[in-house]
């Protein structure tokens, strides 16, 4: 198989992004995170700021309606009123994610990439999690908040990600059945998580 893509969903503070970057570096491939927003902006002509504001989160209106807009692959026409809607911003990100999966081996962080690429044979999906204490400890290393503030922030970000995932996939973000691998970074550490993913890839693809 020419291209191998690894998608990584992650709890805030679990180190999923760091693990993805370490893995990409070991494999000599690109790791895509917020770069997807810029690429989607360039492809659509929609301001990158709009993509940034909706990045892995839903606005209050969508949450109150408890609506689902399971991703189907369709883009909204530029002449339509919904062209710059949150749903169409996601559609363009998904378009970029699919293009990347077809063009190159890479690691993709978040943005429901496991669901967007669910029908691709060359994709391995990973969910990185850890206990509350570990996530808090790791998050405190990068943020100047009090522990109490940080705990609230972690809860808020994970809720954003879970709601976002449910809206566009119809699935539970933390359900292990959605992923090929679920790794506890608090118990394994970042380096061993990388090694576990590489071992899985070797068994599956070689």
């Amino acid at each position: 198989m020419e291209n191998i893509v690894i998608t990584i969903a992650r709890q805030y503070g679990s180190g999923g992004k760091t693990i993805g970057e370490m893995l990409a570096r070991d494999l000599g491939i690109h790791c895509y995170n917020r770069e997807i927003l810029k690429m989607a902006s360039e492809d659509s002509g929609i301001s990158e700021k709009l993509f940034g504001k909706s990045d892995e989160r839903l606005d209050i209106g969508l949450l109150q309606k408890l609506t689902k807009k399971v991703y189907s692959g369709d883009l909204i026409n530029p002449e339509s009123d919904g062209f710059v809607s949150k749903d169409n911003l996601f559609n363009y990100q998904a378009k970029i994610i699919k293009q990347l999966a077809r063009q190159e081996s890479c690691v993709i962080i978040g943005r429901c990439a496991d669901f967007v690429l669910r029908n691709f044979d060359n994709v391995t999906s990973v969910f990185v999690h850890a206990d509350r204490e570990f996530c808090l400890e790791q998050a405190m290393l990068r943020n100047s908040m009090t522990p109490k503030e940080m705990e609230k922030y972690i809860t808020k970000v994970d809720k954003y990600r879970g709601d976002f995932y449910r809206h566009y996939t119809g699935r539970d973000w933390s359900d292990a059945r959605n992923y090929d691998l679920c790794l506890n970074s608090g118990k394994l550490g970042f380096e061993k998580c990388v090694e576990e993913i590489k071992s899985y890839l070797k068994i599956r693809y070689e």
Side-chain angles (χ1 to χ4, degrees):
M1 185 169 294
E2 294 183 1
N3 297 334
I4 294 177
V5 178
I6 304 95
T7 68
I8 297 184
R10 72 285 183 225
Q11 290 181 320
Y12 190 85
S14 67
K17 174 176 172 286
T18 300
I19 289 167
E21 291 171 342
M22 291 170 62
L23 175 66
R25 188 163 54 248
D26 277 8
L27 297 177
I29 60 179
H30 287 108
C31 179
Y32 292 99
N33 186 15
R34 291 186 62 86
E35 295 87 351
I36 292 172
L37 305 182
K38 181 178 181 180
M39 296 166 76
S41 172
E42 292 173 349
D43 185 66
S44 65
I46 299 172
S47 169
E48 187 176 345
K49 289 183 180 180
L50 290 179
F51 283 97
K53 288 179 180 179
S54 65
D55 189 28
E56 292 192 288
R57 66 170 64 193
L58 300 175
D59 60 30
I60 294 175
L62 287 175
L63 288 176
Q64 289 176 339
K65 293 177 183 177
L66 295 177
T67 58
K68 292 181 182 178
K69 184 66 174 180
V70 176
Y71 170 71
S72 64
D74 298 325
L75 294 170
I76 297 175
N77 192 290
E79 283 73 39
S80 170
D81 291 339
F83 181 63
V84 295
S85 65
K86 295 288 196 301
D87 291 336
N88 205 39
L89 296 179
F90 178 80
N91 292 341
Y92 271 100
Q93 291 178 67
K95 178 185 176 183
I96 296 301
I97 287 169
K98 286 183 175 180
Q99 288 177 349
L100 291 171
R102 293 188 181 102
Q103 293 170 0
E104 63 179 281
S105 293
C106 60
V107 176
I108 300 176
I109 307 294
R111 296 168 185 83
C112 307
D114 59 283
F115 183 81
V116 172
L117 301 176
R118 65 194 182 281
N119 295 322
F120 283 58
D121 293 332
N122 63 330
V123 174
T124 292
S125 57
V126 179
F127 184 79
V128 180
H129 62 97
D131 61 45
R132 200 69 170 176
E133 184 177 343
F134 180 84
C135 289
L136 178 60
E137 178 184 341
Q138 292 298 311
M140 289 293 292
L141 295 175
R142 300 190 177 191
N143 297 274
S144 56
M145 298 183 188
T146 66
K148 188 174 182 179
E149 290 172 337
M150 195 71 251
E151 283 189 24
K152 290 182 178 180
Y153 185 73
I154 290 172
T155 298
K156 181 173 69 173
V157 172
D158 282 349
K159 186 177 188 307
Y160 280 150
R161 291 176 178 174
D163 290 339
F164 184 88
Y165 189 88
R166 187 177 302 107
H167 179 76
Y168 290 112
T169 71
R171 299 178 178 180
D172 183 351
W173 176 59
S174 60
D175 188 339
R177 292 172 294 184
N178 297 331
Y179 308 98
D180 297 312
L181 286 175
C182 291
L183 300 174
N184 187 328
S185 58
K187 292 183 177 180
L188 290 175
F190 296 169
E191 291 185 1
K192 287 185 178 179
C193 282
V194 171
E195 292 306 313
E196 286 294 330
I197 297 171
K198 288 164 63 177
S199 295
Y200 177 88
L201 295 176
K202 184 175 182 179
I203 292 170
R204 179 170 171 181
Y205 295 115
E206 292 186 3

